[in-house]
Structure formats: structure tokens, C-alpha cells
């Protein structure tokens, strides 16, 4: 199942727009929308890659036996001056093609039931954190990523490699996971 995606990108964008409006009573800025999409893509991909690796090694610590989709949506990120931007979303958003009319993602994914609730909880958790960070702090956060740095050139919107984004976040999250395991081990003595 690894090669599949979890959501249609446009459904996810409409959900993000709706959730932001519900939380803040304001419209989401284009900057925040793109950074939310990027961080969802990168963080889910990194986590999914670790889960799939654990499944392959027979070391899974969760009740999932089949690989999970690595791509939360079909991303087309480019490295722009203010961080990653999904070019499809940029074009649709600028032509007012999003309505924020999706209030729940439950019926918008073909993801197996065993991970559906965890996936949606993951999305909501990441969005709540992203919504609490101001736009230019999100820009700074995403501009620290190696993939953005290696893809960005002044006045050129170069494509960022999805596999490299996921690999970078797998490494970032894996270091944290290893640290957490060591911390748990040493604190249980």
C-alpha cells in the first residue's frame, strides 16, 4: 500500500481552510496554508517511512501489519522565497477555487480503518500547532530544511523532491524517536 496517497490534495486544502476558520474566525493566509500543507506532507511522510521500515524489519510497535501510504497527498512543492509552495494549490487558491467546505476527513480517504483515526488525529494535531505559529515563524522553520535550502535560488521556483523531503523528516523524526527511547530507558531504571 506504500505507493498510494491518503487524500486528494484539494479535499485536504478545503479541510485546512475550514479548520482554520473554525478555530480563529478568520481566513487562512496563503503563507500559513502552504506551510501547513508542507509540514503535514513532510511529517506524515517521515513518520510513515519509519513505520514502514519497522514493519519490514518485523519490529513494529503498533498494531499495523501492512505498510501505510507514505504520501499524505500528491505534492508538487517548489522552493520559493518564503519557503515551500505547492504550485497546484497556489494556482487554485489564486483563482478562488477552494471553499473550505470539508468539516471532516473521515469520508475523504480510502486509508484502511486501522490507521484512519490515527491519521486524522495526526492531521488535527499538526494543524493545531501550525495554526498557533505566526506566518513568518513558519517561513523560518521551513527555510531551515535542507531540501528547501538545496532547491532554492533567487527568482527561480525550483521543484523540491518529495522523496528527499520525506527522507529528511524521517531522519529528523528518527533522531527524536531514538532520543525518546533512550530517555524512556534511562528513566525506567
Amino acid at each position: 500500500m506504500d505507493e498510494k496517497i491518503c487524500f486528494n490534495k484539494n479535499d485536504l486544502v478545503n479541510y485546512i481552510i475550514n479548520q482554520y476558520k473554525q478555530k480563529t474566525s478568520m481566513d487562512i493566509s496563503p503563507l500559513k496554508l502552504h506551510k501547513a500543507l508542507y509540514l503535514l506532507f513532510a511529517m506524515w511522510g517521515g513518520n510513515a517511512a519509519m513505520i514502514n521500515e519497522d514493519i519490514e524489519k518485523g519490529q513494529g510497535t503498533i498494531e499495523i501489519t501492512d505498510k501505510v501510504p507514505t504520501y499524505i497527498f500528491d505534492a508538487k512543492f517548489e522552493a520559493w522565497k518564503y519557503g515551500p509552495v505547492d504550485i497546484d494549490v497556489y494556482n487554485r487558491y489564486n483563482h478562488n477555487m477552494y471553499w473550505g467546505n470539508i468539516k471532516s476527513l473521515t469520508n475523504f480517504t480510502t486509508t484502511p480503518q486501522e490507521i484512519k483515526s490515527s491519521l486524522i488525529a495526526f492531521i488535527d494535531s499538526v494543524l493545531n500547532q501550525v495554526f498557533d505559529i505566526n506566518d513568518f515563524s513558519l517561513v523560518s522553520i521551513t527555510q531551515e530544511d535542507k531540501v528547501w535550502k538545496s532547491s532554492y535560488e533567487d527568482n527561480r521556483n525550483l521543484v523540491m523532491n518529495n522523496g528527499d523531503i520525506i527522507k529528511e523528516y524521517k531522519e529528523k523524526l528518527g533522531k527524536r524517536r531514538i532520543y525518546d527511547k533512550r530517555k524512556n530507558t534511562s528513566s525506567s531504571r
Side-chain angles (χ1 to χ4, degrees), residues 56-157:
E56 286 175 6
K57 292 178 181 176
Q59 298 174 346
T61 58
I62 54 178
E63 301 292 323
I64 298 174
T65 56
D66 294 327
K67 288 185 175 184
V68 298
T70 307
Y71 287 14
I72 197 166
F73 61 89
D74 184 22
K76 293 183 181 163
F77 289 109
E78 294 182 354
W80 287 25
K81 181 178 182 177
Y82 294 110
V85 171
D86 185 290
I87 190 64
D88 293 338
V89 173
Y90 177 83
N91 290 328
R92 288 179 61 88
Y93 190 86
N94 282 346
H95 289 97
N96 297 315
M97 297 176 76
Y98 292 114
W99 303 279
N101 58 340
I102 295 179
K103 297 178 181 179
S104 170
L105 289 172
T106 304
N107 297 324
F108 289 92
T109 182
T110 57
T111 306
Q113 194 61 40
E114 63 183 351
I115 67 164
K116 187 181 288 191
S117 61
S118 296
L119 171 60
I120 292 171
F122 169 85
I123 291 168
D124 289 340
S125 174
V126 170
L127 290 179
N128 280 325
Q129 292 173 57
V130 168
F131 292 167
D132 288 339
I133 301 172
N134 75 55
D135 289 8
F136 284 97
S137 291
L138 289 169
V139 168
S140 294
I141 290 167
T142 58
Q143 287 178 336
E144 288 301 312
D145 288 354
K146 292 178 209 169
V147 178
W148 180 84
K149 286 179 179 180
S150 67
S151 302
Y152 179 71
E153 290 182 19
D154 268 344
N155 301 317
R156 295 185 66 199
N157 300 334

Side-chain angles (χ1 to χ4, degrees), residues 161-175:
N161 181 287
N162 288 340
D164 290 345
I165 294 167
I166 290 171
K167 181 180 176 188
E168 180 174 349
Y169 273 77
K170 178 183 173 223
E171 290 170 10
K172 285 181 179 185
L173 297 168
K175 288 178 184 176

Side-chain angles (χ1 to χ4, degrees), residues 22-44:
Q22 292 300 314
K23 183 173 182 171
T24 67
S25 300
M26 298 183 323
D27 292 331
I28 193 167
S29 71
L31 273 175
K32 190 172 295 281
L33 175 62
H34 286 283
K35 302 321 162 244
L37 280 170
Y38 176 76
L39 291 168
L40 280 172
F41 179 85
M43 293 177 78
W44 174 260

